[in-house]
């Protein structure tokens, strides 16, 4: 009789009995495993959530501690005509506050070279009738160069294309102007975008071929003079508070200490048609940008504290669930460590600490720009005063390499979020516990298979015995009947 037919012989519900006995044996053990697994999964989830939140905060802190422009200067420009941007400006954090009157009188320009009148009658004229040679284009004795091969029969138009399409061309444009007159003919015009006095374009006749003198400025020895610039390369010129300044390019870099400005247009003339109108450049503190960074720090910090509270809280009543890491000392300790750094003194800054710039820890352990006046003004008052009077000292509060709050916060959080950090170690331990639960569940199932077999073997004998007794009883009844 097979196991599947248990109870058929006796007529008893032995199969159901075995199932009930199996369930009563399995359920308490399975429930304990489920509870263990649920607790471990909740722990892994909670650890992952706080680690993710801390990592986000660490990234924001890293950007703050490495921010070279945290105490940045803000250039403010006022041009004579609001529709014309004469120049743009940038300032490093080392720039001194000040106001300057600036006028751009000349833009930097490159050189321009033209072939002589009637040197070529049309664009189809040959540049070289026989043989081959090359032209080398350069600016000064150093810098980029490129060469163009000239072959017999190459036309003026083809030479133009070869120059413009050269892969090494550093900024030379060749164009043809057909004057439409016999005296002018077709003129090949070279323009260079390399600006600055002394940076005139040179075109070297590498092989000293007489026909190529018409499109060259000098010979291979660079002693001869053929074509000369009709317009020489020149510097950009400007006046700063009446002082003449020049630059090879349109960017005046560090002309004012730690300030650069880039000319975009020549300044418009005053009513006399002679005097250029000045623009005003003011270098001030980027108070708005720094204030935004401070408020962002407060917001990011409170996000971490809020996450810690949610995960570690105890329910206030039976209707309110505990957090999945309720009472966890490691996670609660993180909040304490962060708060200690936030409230610490920074001797490297004259401001001393965050309280002086209006940032305080409230009774809930969160940061806020305080509203209480302690005789020093509210938090908003203190922040505004610090931004106005101690701008550079604020940066030291956060970025000093030894005491800076952002520096210390980053190092502190790194202890928890790195691959070998405390939270990562807890995660690894929890996952190992999870693996042990899986192993225990497999062992339980193996034991239950064995237990089921034992039960079925036991009740199979009972089933067979009762079946034989029933058969005997039936036979007796038949004989008596």
């Amino acid at each position: 009789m097979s196991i599947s037919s248990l109870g058929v012989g006796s007529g008893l519900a032995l199969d159901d009995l075995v199932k009930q006995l199996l369930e009563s044996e399995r359920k308490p053990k399975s429930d304990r495993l489920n509870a263990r697994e649920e607790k471990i999964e909740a722990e892994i989830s909670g650890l992952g959530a706080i680690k993710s939140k801390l990592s986000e905060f660490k990234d924001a802190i890293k950007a703050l501690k490495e921010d070279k422009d945290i105490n940045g200067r803000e250039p403010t420009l006022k041009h004579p005509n609001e529709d014309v941007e004469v120049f743009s400006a940038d300032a490093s954090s080392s720039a001194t506050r000040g106001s300057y009157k600036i006028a751009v009188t000349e833009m930097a320009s490159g050189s321009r070279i033209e072939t002589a009148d009637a040197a070529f009658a049309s664009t189809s004229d040959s540049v070289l009738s026989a043989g081959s040679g090359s032209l080398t284009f350069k600016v000064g004795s150093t810098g980029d160069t490129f060469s163009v091969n000239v072959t017999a029969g190459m036309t003026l138009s083809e030479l133009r294309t070869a120059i413009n399409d050269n892969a090494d061309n550093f900024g030379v444009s060749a164009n043809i102007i057909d004057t439409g007159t016999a005296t002018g003919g077709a003129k090949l015009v070279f323009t260079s975008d390399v600006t600055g006095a002394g940076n005139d374009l040179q075109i070297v006749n590498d092989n000293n071929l007489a026909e190529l003198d018409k499109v060259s400025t000098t010979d291979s020895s660079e002693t001869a003079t053929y074509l000369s610039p009709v317009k020489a390369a020149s510097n950009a010129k400007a006046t700063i508070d009446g002082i003449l300044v020049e630059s090879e390019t349109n960017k005046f870099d560090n002309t004012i200490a730690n300030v650069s400005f880039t000319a975009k247009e020549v300044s418009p003339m005053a009513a006399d048609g002679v005097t250029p109108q000045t623009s005003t450049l003011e270098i001030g503190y980027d108070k708005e940008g720094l204030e935004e960074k401070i408020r962002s720090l407060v917001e990011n910090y409170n996000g971490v504290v809020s996450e810690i509270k949610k995960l570690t809280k105890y329910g206030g009543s039976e209707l309110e669930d505990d957090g999945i890491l309720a009472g966890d000392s490691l996670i609660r300790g993180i909040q304490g460590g962060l708060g200690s750094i936030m409230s610490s003194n920074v001797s490297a800054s004259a401001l001393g600490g965050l309280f002086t710039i209006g940032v305080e820890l409230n009774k809930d352990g969160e940061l806020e720009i305080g509203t209480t006046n302690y005789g020093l003004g509210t938090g908003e008052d203190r922040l505004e005063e610090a931004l106005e009077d101690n701008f550079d000292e604020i940066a030291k509060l956060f970025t000093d390499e030894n005491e800076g709050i952002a520096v210390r916060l980053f190092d502190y959080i790194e202890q928890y979020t790195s691959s070998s950090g405390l939270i990562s170690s807890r995660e690894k331990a929890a996952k190992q516990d999870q693996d042990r639960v899986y192993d225990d569940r497999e062992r339980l199932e193996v034991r239950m298979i064995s237990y089921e077999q034992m039960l079925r073997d036991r009740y199979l004998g009972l089933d067979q015995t009762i079946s034989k007794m029933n058969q005997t009883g039936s036979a007796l009844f038949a004989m008596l009947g």
Side-chain angles (χ1 to χ4, degrees):
M1 184 178 294
S2 67
I3 291 177
S4 62
S5 60
L6 187 64
V8 171
S10 64
L12 300 176
L14 296 178
D15 201 58
D16 289 342
L17 177 62
V18 168
K19 290 178 181 178
Q20 292 172 11
L21 291 171
L22 282 172
E23 181 62 18
S24 64
E25 179 71 17
R26 174 188 284 112
K27 190 176 187 307
K29 297 179 174 63
S30 181
D31 286 349
R32 285 195 295 272
L33 288 173
N34 289 340
R36 276 178 60 196
E37 185 175 23
E38 184 178 340
K39 182 178 179 181
I40 292 169
E41 287 177 347
E43 181 182 8
I44 291 173
S45 174
L47 290 170
I50 191 60
K51 185 177 178 181
S52 175
K53 201 69 177 179
L54 282 171
S55 295
E56 290 177 12
F57 187 43
K58 186 179 73 172
D59 290 342
I61 290 298
K62 182 180 180 182
L64 183 62
K65 84 183 185 76
E66 295 177 353
D67 188 352
K68 303 302 181 185
D69 297 321
I70 187 172
N71 56 340
R73 303 303 192 254
E74 181 71 13
T76 302
L77 300 174
K78 185 176 181 180
H79 298 295
N81 185 335
E82 292 182 358
D83 297 328
V84 178
E85 185 184 25
V86 178
F87 59 86
S88 59
D90 294 295
S92 75
S93 58
S94 302
T96 303
R97 295 175 77 177
S99 179
Y100 308 91
K101 297 292 186 181
I102 299 175
V104 175
T105 55
E106 289 184 34
M107 299 290 289
S109 65
S111 54
R112 174 186 172 97
I113 298 170
E114 301 174 0
T115 55
D117 288 346
F120 300 95
S122 70
T123 60
S124 60
D125 280 7
S126 293
V127 177
L128 186 63
S129 59
S132 63
S134 65
L135 299 171
T136 295
F137 295 77
K138 58 190 293 187
V139 172
S141 58
T142 59
D144 296 329
T145 67
F146 70 94
S147 296
V148 172
N149 293 324
V150 183
T151 56
M154 177 181 276
T155 66
L156 195 65
S157 179
E158 289 170 339
L159 176 59
R160 174 194 60 189
T161 301
I163 294 168
N164 291 336
D165 293 348
N166 190 284
D168 298 320
N169 190 319
F170 56 79
V172 176
S173 297
N175 290 289
I176 297 175
I177 296 177
D178 193 340
T179 65
T181 66
T183 56
K187 298 174 72 71
L188 185 58
V189 180
F190 307 93
T191 56
S192 168
D193 63 9
V194 180
T195 61
N199 290 331
D200 291 336
L201 176 65
Q202 292 178 274
I203 308 171
V204 181
N205 182 352
D206 296 323
N207 307 97
N208 301 325
L209 300 175
E211 287 180 289
L212 296 185
D213 291 346
K214 295 187 293 184
V215 290
S216 306
T217 63
T218 187
D219 60 8
S220 59
S221 66
E222 300 185 22
T223 56
T225 300
Y226 304 134
L227 299 178
S228 296
V230 295
K231 182 180 181 300
S234 62
N235 291 341
K237 295 180 181 180
T239 59
I240 302 174
D241 293 337
I243 300 171
L244 177 65
V245 294
E246 297 188 21
S247 172
E248 283 193 352
T249 68
N250 287 318
K251 184 175 183 180
F252 292 79
D253 196 9
N254 220 36
T255 304
I256 301 170
N258 303 306
V259 177
S260 66
F261 65 94
T262 302
K264 302 290 185 68
E265 302 273 354
V266 172
S267 296
M269 289 297 173
D272 62 10
V274 177
T275 307
Q277 298 183 60
T278 59
S279 301
T280 301
L281 167 62
E282 290 189 358
I283 305 299
Y285 297 141
D286 185 9
K287 293 189 291 185
E288 184 177 329
L290 182 52
E291 182 177 350
E292 183 178 340
K293 291 171 183 175
I294 293 170
R295 294 187 184 276
S296 178
L297 172 67
V298 170
E299 182 180 348
N300 288 329
Y301 178 87
N302 290 343
V304 173
V305 171
S306 177
E307 186 72 17
I308 290 175
K309 287 181 178 179
K310 182 180 73 174
L311 294 172
T312 61
K313 72 173 182 177
Y314 286 107
S317 67
E318 293 183 359
L319 300 176
E320 186 178 359
D321 294 334
D322 292 342
I324 55 180
L325 294 175
D328 191 293
S329 59
L330 174 68
I331 306 305
R332 283 194 174 277
I334 294 174
Q335 182 178 348
L338 292 173
S340 177
I341 293 173
M342 287 298 188
S343 58
S344 64
N345 182 67
V346 180
S347 61
S349 171
L351 293 168
L354 291 179
F355 180 83
T356 314
I357 64 171
V359 180
E360 310 165 18
L361 283 169
N362 62 25
K363 61 182 178 60
D364 297 319
E366 297 179 342
L367 291 179
E368 64 179 9
I369 309 295
T371 56
T372 303
N373 188 332
Y374 297 97
L376 301 171
T378 66
E380 294 289 349
D381 294 336
R382 281 174 272 141
L383 177 57
E384 183 177 348
E385 183 178 345
L387 288 169
E388 182 61 35
D389 299 333
N390 290 286
F391 190 84
D392 289 336
E393 293 300 317
I394 297 177
K396 295 177 185 177
L397 276 179
F398 296 107
T399 62
D400 180 79
E401 61 182 14
N402 296 316
E403 300 180 51
I405 288 172
V407 174
R408 293 174 59 198
L409 281 173
F410 181 87
D411 293 341
Y412 179 76
I413 296 172
E414 181 75 3
Q415 297 177 47
Y416 292 92
T417 59
S418 68
S419 59
S420 58
L422 297 174
I423 294 179
S424 297
S425 297
R426 278 277 300 275
E427 285 180 317
K428 291 174 185 176
K431 288 175 181 176
Q432 289 173 351
D433 286 344
Q434 191 177 49
D435 291 340
R436 282 192 282 270
V437 171
Y438 296 155
D439 293 340
D440 289 346
R441 197 182 298 282
E442 288 182 358
R443 282 192 288 270
L444 173 62
E445 291 306 314
V446 170
R447 286 199 304 271
M448 295 311 299
I449 291 172
S450 177
Y451 182 58
E452 180 183 8
Q453 185 64 54
M454 183 269 291
L455 289 174
R456 288 186 177 277
D457 288 344
R458 177 183 298 173
Y459 287 109
L460 178 60
L462 175 63
D463 190 38
Q464 292 173 338
T465 298
I466 294 175
S467 176
K468 290 177 181 179
M469 291 175 63
N470 288 338
Q471 291 174 0
T472 302
S474 296
L476 291 171
F477 280 123
M479 291 174 61
L480 293 173

